[in-house]
Amino acid sequence: MSRFTFITLFREAIEPYLNTSMMLKAQKIGAAEFDFVDLREFGIGKHKSVDDTPYGGGDGMLLRCEPVFSAVESVLTEGAKVIMPTPAGEKWTQKRAQALAGISHTEISAKNLRESITKESELEKKPNEPNRHFIIICPHYEGYDERIMSMVNYPISVGNYVLTGGEIPALIIVDSIVRLLPGVLGGDSSAAIESFSDEKGEMIEFPQWTKPAEFRGMKVPEILLSGNHEKIARWRMEQMRKNMD
């Protein structure tokens, strides 16, 4: 089971998403647990202040280190890892999501593509999965006191752009981890045979179609209607290689 603790000023921006779709399923099957810490509760003084002006001048307000340290320490458990979205962090990738989910990449081949077509899905969570605890700090305002970084294990950047706060990046990070946990997506190969899940993180998943077989003159490739799993697997591998070119 993986536990995710969000330290945030805006719980209401996060919680609705966690109670829908795959995130809700993850909770129901015991694969993931989500909880929250209100950073304001650790604010300073009468007004519970969590921010202040930057030394050296400049626009905006910075997140103070004292409330953040106190909030993290209030929920810190043995072995817990602290994550914080920041432009200064390492680029978030599928490979990193796999690592934090406790799985390794799968070498994608025609064989496991064929098995994914024919194998019956396993919907139950695998037993004896190790427990993990991730504490996610959601920054806000203009930035944060640099001393906060001393307690962060994983500084993460979700892209070269700036957002108002850390709640959306936190959801991106958590979603990409939780969906990989055993039992969340369903079949064993659901998370293995998808975009960026190869060793180099470069392969794009093959294109897919569903009913109807023809729509407004656009037809599903005949190979997918053939029922020949061997040929379908080879065709899908060819499409994945084309997507890399």
Side-chain angles (χ1 to χ4, degrees):
M1 192 271 289
S2 292
R3 175 187 172 196
F4 299 87
T5 302
F6 296 85
I7 297 179
T8 176
L9 292 166
F10 302 99
R11 172 175 179 165
E12 64 275 16
I14 300 174
E15 196 166 22
Y17 184 81
L18 298 178
N19 289 326
T20 58
S21 189
M22 293 296 104
M23 300 302 103
L24 179 60
K25 178 184 177 182
Q27 295 176 77
K28 288 183 175 180
I29 66 173
E33 176 184 314
F34 306 117
D35 52 35
F36 297 86
V37 172
D38 183 354
L39 184 59
R40 187 70 64 186
E41 293 183 1
F42 297 88
I44 298 166
K46 178 181 177 180
H47 300 291
K48 296 290 186 179
S49 175
V50 298
D51 63 326
D52 212 324
T53 54
Y55 281 122
D59 294 333
M61 304 287 279
L62 299 182
L63 205 58
R64 293 182 62 146
C65 55
E66 309 103 300
V68 176
F69 270 74
S70 296
V72 171
E73 289 166 355
S74 73
V75 291
L76 195 62
T77 57
E78 184 177 355
K81 301 299 181 183
V82 179
I83 298 172
M84 188 169 77
T86 168
E90 297 181 6
K91 181 181 177 182
W92 187 242
T93 63
Q94 185 71 7
K95 191 171 184 179
R96 294 188 184 280
Q98 289 174 326
L100 294 193
I103 65 174
S104 59
H105 79 277
T106 299
E107 183 179 350
I108 301 175
S109 66
K111 179 177 181 295
N112 53 37
L113 278 175
R114 183 174 65 254
E115 289 174 350
S116 76
I117 299 170
T118 58
K119 189 174 182 180
E120 185 175 340
S121 297
E122 295 180 9
L123 299 179
E124 299 299 323
K125 180 180 182 292
K126 291 180 180 179
N128 302 320
E129 291 294 325
N131 292 329
R132 300 179 180 85
H133 185 197
F134 298 104
I135 300 170
I136 304 101
I137 303 170
C138 300
H140 219 74
Y141 308 114
E142 172 65 20
Y144 51 84
D145 187 298
E146 187 64 23
R147 287 167 288 192
I148 292 172
M149 292 300 295
S150 67
M151 66 188 323
V152 175
N153 301 105
Y154 299 108
I156 300 297
S157 169
V158 296
N160 295 344
Y161 50 87
V162 179
L163 297 170
T164 304
E167 285 74 22
I168 292 175
L171 280 174
I172 290 172
I173 293 166
V174 171
D175 182 289
S176 60
I177 296 171
V178 171
R179 65 186 299 278
L180 297 176
L181 299 177
V184 175
L185 292 183
D188 278 347
S189 59
S190 297
I193 304 173
E194 62 181 2
S195 299
F196 312 119
S197 294
D198 58 303
E199 184 174 9
K200 294 182 179 180
E202 298 175 346
M203 190 167 284
I204 305 297
E205 190 175 3
F206 46 81
Q208 301 187 77
W209 290 261
T210 186
K211 295 179 179 64
E214 182 176 350
F215 176 70
R216 295 184 179 179
M218 296 177 284
K219 298 181 179 180
V220 174
E222 287 295 329
I223 183 69
L224 298 179
L225 306 176
S226 68
N228 188 321
H229 294 160
E230 186 72 38
K231 288 184 177 180
I232 292 173
R234 287 201 300 267
W235 182 86
R236 285 177 169 172
M237 282 298 298
E238 291 171 2
Q239 298 304 307
M240 292 171 78
R241 294 189 184 102
K242 286 180 181 179
N243 286 337
M244 294 177 63
D245 295 338

